[in-house]
Amino acid sequence: PALHTVVQRVMVSTIPDWETISRWYWNLSARPLAATTPEMSNEVAQLVANAADEQQKIEGIFKRVSQKIRYMGITTEKDAPGFEPHDVCITYNNKYGVCRDKAALLVSMLRIAGLKAYPVLILVGPKKNPDVPQPYFNHAITAVETGDCAYVLMDSTDENTKDLLPAYLGDMSYLVCKPEGDTLRTTPFRPAGDNLVRVKTKGALTSRGDLEAETEVFFDGINDNIYRGFFARSKPEERKRLFEGLVKRVAAGAKLTSFTIAPEDFQDVSEPLTVKLSFEAKDVLVSGKEAVMLSPPWVGMSIGLVNWVLGDAGLEKRRYPFDTEVTCGAKEEFTLDLADAVGAAISLPQYTPVEGKTVEWKRSVVQHGDTLDGSSEFLINVVEFSPEEYLALKE
């Protein structure tokens, strides 16, 4: 975790409460938010014309701002640009802006549609101390207040997200800025089951001990967000290299024979992100005098955010918590046709399942006649491990 969250510190503020900051930023943004144009109103009317409910209105307007207004990570002002957004008509006409500009434009277009939308200040990083009101935030997003006094949060700077609020913004401090003020809140983090990479492999062994297989990978939640963004930014040869490396980690000397990614338009977030790949590997059996040894074709151990999180767990023990930032997991199934390449199993691996608050893990490999079936599930259910929980994760 960040150093300042685990050491003694003195925090000072002359601001009486969070409501004061909330009202301050609303007043700072009120004039830019009001700078709408007839063109904006006409476009909003078109975007919501066929919307069946409030959620569809939100999604339609969000998609327009997130994908058609470019995020520009620099500001054109030379002198103290500060927190204030540009007039929304400027951002709308220029088709670009920094986070506070895109957030403000989204607020205005949602309000044109009759929704109770507000700008939001958020701190991307460790949570703020709720007892010391301070205006130190580093990002701006948007909120819509629903009928049950809850908020729908959305980050329009991420043009590749299927979700209104990407999973990487979970468990962070935010402040909805309203005329009457609001208090400091924490963004929810999604359960691991929403942030899976799911893998299904079907393969066969030839009589010579060669492996031929097809794998389909489904990306959910944060995995969709990360890989969709990578595919959108990368060249075809870079994507090919990614999957060439993946199959080589599954079986030594494996060769990628084909792969396809759907959807073709990575900004079409109405379709889930999936990858289909085919590969082959020569002589995958390790032969002895009376038996052979076979490594199961586990693909999920080499793809997905959960494996990156585990890669960060390098210390044997920790003095301070281990911060994963997101929940995530992997589910995998494979079916391998053994044909006449091998006989009955002499020994199969036995796995002891782990079921806990922080981590769940279970795996099995069984033989049914000429077929070897495997299944695996690994879930990281929390965003922070205590030093004691970290030791269990390592084990």
Side-chain angles (χ1 to χ4, degrees):
L3 179 64
H4 73 265
T5 67
V6 293
V7 299
Q8 289 184 332
R9 55 179 172 156
V10 175
M11 300 185 67
V12 178
S13 177
T14 58
I15 301 172
D17 49 42
W18 290 106
E19 287 78 4
T20 299
I21 302 175
S22 174
R23 291 190 295 270
W24 162 75
Y25 192 68
W26 169 262
N27 292 329
L28 187 68
S29 303
R31 187 195 57 77
L33 290 174
T36 60
T37 64
E39 290 78 14
M40 292 172 59
S41 299
N42 292 337
E43 182 166 11
V44 169
Q46 295 174 7
L47 291 171
V48 303
N50 298 318
D53 53 28
E54 184 176 281
Q55 183 65 23
Q56 288 189 6
K57 290 181 180 181
I58 293 172
E59 291 174 354
I61 298 172
F62 172 82
K63 182 178 180 180
R64 171 66 176 83
V65 175
S66 66
Q67 294 189 355
K68 300 304 180 182
I69 306 298
R70 183 165 54 90
Y71 172 72
M72 187 176 68
I74 59 174
T75 184
T76 55
E77 285 83 4
K78 295 181 180 180
D79 300 321
F83 283 76
E84 185 177 2
H86 288 95
D87 289 357
V88 292
C89 60
I90 296 176
T91 305
Y92 181 82
N93 292 330
N94 287 344
K95 300 294 187 289
Y96 65 79
V98 295
C99 63
R100 60 184 179 273
D101 299 324
K102 293 191 67 171
L105 176 60
L106 181 56
V107 169
S108 287
M109 294 180 71
L110 289 166
R111 294 179 78 87
I112 290 174
L115 301 169
K116 297 173 66 176
Y118 303 97
V120 176
L121 296 174
I122 185 170
L123 180 66
V124 180
K127 293 192 289 291
K128 297 178 74 68
N129 188 319
D131 296 326
V132 187
Q134 293 176 328
Y136 306 141
F137 296 88
N138 56 12
H139 191 38
I141 59 174
T142 304
V144 168
E145 187 174 4
T146 60
D148 54 359
C149 297
Y151 294 113
V152 176
L153 300 173
M154 58 202 84
D155 182 7
S156 56
T157 62
D158 192 335
E159 63 184 30
N160 296 307
T161 180
K162 279 175 57 59
D163 305 308
L164 296 175
L165 186 71
Y168 54 76
L169 291 181
D171 200 39
M172 295 180 182
S173 297
Y174 74 96
L175 183 66
V176 179
C177 302
K178 306 170 66 174
E180 64 273 24
D182 200 51
T183 191
L184 188 71
R185 302 171 184 266
T186 302
T187 56
F189 63 84
R190 300 172 62 181
D194 290 350
N195 291 321
L196 295 177
V197 58
R198 295 176 288 118
V199 182
K200 293 184 178 181
T201 299
K202 186 175 182 180
L205 287 177
T206 67
S207 58
R208 296 173 300 180
D210 299 336
L211 171 66
E212 298 175 352
E214 294 182 350
T215 295
E216 192 166 13
V217 185
F218 305 85
F219 301 89
D220 299 334
I222 186 65
N223 286 286
D224 184 300
N225 187 230
I226 291 173
Y227 280 90
R228 190 184 293 262
F230 169 74
F231 294 148
R233 295 187 303 269
S234 60
K235 299 177 181 178
E237 55 268 26
E238 293 174 315
R239 301 169 202 156
K240 182 179 180 181
R241 284 198 296 270
L242 172 69
F243 296 115
E244 286 176 336
L246 172 63
V247 300
K248 283 181 169 59
R249 290 189 290 273
V250 176
K255 178 182 178 183
L256 179 70
T257 55
S258 68
F259 77 96
T260 58
I261 305 174
E264 292 185 5
D265 179 7
F266 297 124
Q267 287 196 329
D268 182 5
V269 294
S270 64
E271 289 191 34
L273 182 66
T274 59
V275 172
K276 294 181 179 180
L277 53 91
S278 300
F279 61 96
E280 58 185 28
K282 303 295 184 182
D283 193 19
V284 297
L285 299 176
V286 179
S287 299
K289 291 182 179 180
E290 298 179 355
V292 295
M293 186 165 61
L294 168 67
S295 293
W298 296 116
V299 178
M301 296 172 66
S302 301
I303 194 169
L305 177 63
V306 67
N307 294 296
W308 304 351
V309 169
L310 294 178
D312 289 335
L315 297 177
E316 287 301 316
K317 59 182 180 179
R318 298 181 67 93
R319 294 178 59 191
Y320 304 110
F322 176 57
D323 185 8
T324 67
E325 297 184 355
V326 294
T327 60
C328 53
K331 284 188 176 183
E332 181 167 11
E333 299 175 357
F334 74 78
T335 297
L336 187 60
D337 184 359
L338 303 173
D340 57 356
V342 300
I346 298 173
S347 175
L348 291 172
Q350 300 298 315
Y351 303 100
T352 302
V354 175
E355 296 183 5
K357 180 187 72 172
T358 59
V359 170
E360 297 177 52
W361 184 79
K362 55 186 176 182
R363 175 173 288 180
S364 66
V365 177
V366 296
Q367 185 177 9
H368 299 103
D370 293 337
T371 301
L372 189 68
D373 295 320
S375 65
S376 177
E377 181 179 27
F378 182 70
L379 302 176
I380 294 180
N381 293 320
V382 297
V383 297
E384 184 177 278
F385 289 79
S386 69
E388 293 75 24
E389 292 168 339
Y390 177 80
L391 292 178
L393 173 67
K394 288 288 290 185
E395 184 178 354

